[in-house]
Amino acid sequence: MAWTRVILATLMLASVISCKNLEQKVVGRWQSEDEVQAVTFHDNGTATFESYGRTVDAQYKFTDQAHAKFIFDSPLGEFEGTQIALLTLDKEELTLEFESGLTRSYLRVKA
């Protein structure tokens, strides 16, 4: 029984740490494989989305370990208004799945 509590406590702590790690890990520039779309996450809670040469800024805040709320300054195609997205990071690939159904995948741009 004591081991179960230790394991649960460890998993909970890892979950909290991973949330902060995801917030830190997404900071930087990400680009679609075809290089026509990109997103740059800044450590001040803002992001810049680029699509076919146009840009839109957004504010973002993580709501839990895997979801962020985006508030877009102006519309850019399907990037508009306030949207919640699931962020999945797999090595150097970041996927954003917005509640609207829009899904975008990006690769980290090496500095």
Side-chain angles (χ1 to χ4, degrees):
M1 188 70 151
W3 282 107
T4 303
R5 290 183 187 162
V6 170
I7 291 171
L8 287 174
T10 302
L11 290 173
M12 288 175 56
L13 179 60
S15 175
V16 169
I17 291 171
S18 69
C19 175
K20 186 172 185 179
N21 286 340
L22 182 59
E23 288 182 56
Q24 293 171 346
K25 288 179 181 179
V26 298
V27 171
R29 184 166 172 77
W30 301 83
Q31 194 165 29
S32 63
E33 206 166 352
D34 60 8
E35 299 184 2
V36 296
Q37 298 188 7
V39 60
T40 303
F41 286 90
H42 308 280
D43 60 4
N44 66 356
T46 63
T48 303
F49 287 80
E50 301 170 41
S51 181
Y52 297 94
R54 296 179 48 220
T55 63
V56 65
D57 293 320
Q59 297 174 18
Y60 71 92
K61 181 176 178 151
F62 277 79
T63 58
D64 62 28
Q65 294 125 352
H67 292 86
K69 177 180 176 181
F70 291 86
I71 303 172
F72 293 94
D73 291 345
S74 60
L76 175 62
E78 295 175 327
F79 298 120
E80 66 178 329
T82 300
Q83 295 190 40
I84 303 291
L86 169 67
L87 284 78
T88 306
L89 182 60
D90 182 20
K91 297 180 185 173
E92 297 297 307
E93 183 175 7
L94 175 66
T95 302
L96 281 71
E97 296 178 54
F98 289 91
E99 62 187 1
S100 64
L102 174 68
T103 299
R104 293 285 186 261
S105 292
Y106 305 95
L107 301 173
R108 182 180 295 280
V109 175
K110 308 264 190 228

